[in-house]
Amino acid sequence: MKRLIEQIMKFGIIGIIATVVDWGIFALLVELYGATSLFTGVISLKNWKVVATVISFSVSVVVNYLASMKYVFERRDDMSRTKEFVIFLGLSIIGLGINVLIIVGLEGIVQWFATWPAIIYRFAYMVPKVVATSVVLVWNFVTRKIFLEKKQEIRDI
């Protein structure tokens, strides 16, 4: 149990780092959309948020893979690093799908903040991102533990 708690804590720290990367790139790209007219005639803000989600999530997956497989999960001896990355990527793509579905599905929630102070409403677009990140966090830990971690031998007591 102690090992599991330590593992969850390490996963949490790496998750925070990957989340900062994800959210930072996402916010930067959304702010870039509003700061320039380069994209406004080509793509809607709603679709741009999907693009921004894919880009930010993809960068954070690479950061998360490198750190998770080094510090959190014990690598399996029977799996090549290529296969390991492909499985990690596949699980992450499913997580990305969950992420996008939640962000698109909760887009309307942003309007709930229209009467709030301007500074809160200004960044309300992050609310769906926070919900999506929370759901995908659980997905990532459970599926990576099942599919990527070396199975522990059960020892007689």
Side-chain angles (χ1 to χ4, degrees):
M1 183 59 104
K2 180 181 176 190
R3 183 185 179 294
L4 179 62
I5 292 170
E6 287 175 4
Q7 190 177 35
I8 290 170
M9 290 182 70
K10 287 178 185 177
F11 184 80
I13 291 167
I14 289 168
I16 289 169
I17 293 167
T19 298
V20 167
V21 169
D22 184 11
W23 290 8
I25 293 171
F26 177 77
L28 180 70
L29 291 173
V30 170
E31 293 300 317
L32 177 66
Y33 182 92
T36 179
S37 61
L38 180 66
F39 304 109
T40 53
V42 178
I43 188 169
S44 71
L45 178 58
K46 183 176 182 177
N47 289 337
W48 178 250
K49 287 179 185 176
V50 172
V51 170
T53 296
V54 171
I55 292 169
S56 66
F57 193 86
S58 298
V59 173
S60 74
V61 163
V62 173
V63 169
N64 200 312
Y65 170 75
L66 295 172
S68 289
M69 297 314 294
K70 182 168 178 79
Y71 299 110
V72 179
F73 300 109
E74 189 175 340
R75 290 192 143 123
R76 292 173 50 168
D77 299 328
D78 64 340
M79 186 181 296
S80 71
R81 297 303 159 243
T82 302
K83 183 176 180 181
E84 176 184 87
F85 183 73
V86 168
I87 291 171
F88 192 98
L89 186 60
L91 296 172
S92 296
I93 289 169
I94 294 169
L96 173 61
I98 294 167
N99 198 309
V100 169
L101 286 173
I102 290 171
I103 287 174
V104 170
L106 295 180
E107 178 68 25
I109 207 170
V110 172
Q111 293 309 312
W112 293 359
F113 297 93
T115 60
W116 290 44
I119 189 69
I120 294 173
Y121 181 63
R122 173 80 176 84
F123 295 102
Y125 66 85
M126 289 299 292
V127 172
K129 187 72 172 162
V130 170
V131 173
T133 299
S134 301
V135 171
V136 173
L137 172 84
V138 174
W139 165 261
N140 285 342
F141 183 79
V142 171
T143 58
R144 290 172 188 169
K145 188 147 184 71
I146 291 169
F147 293 104
L148 295 174
E149 186 168 55
K150 180 178 181 178
K151 306 296 183 230
Q152 299 298 317
E153 295 177 16
I154 298 175
R155 296 187 176 102
D156 292 334
I157 297 178

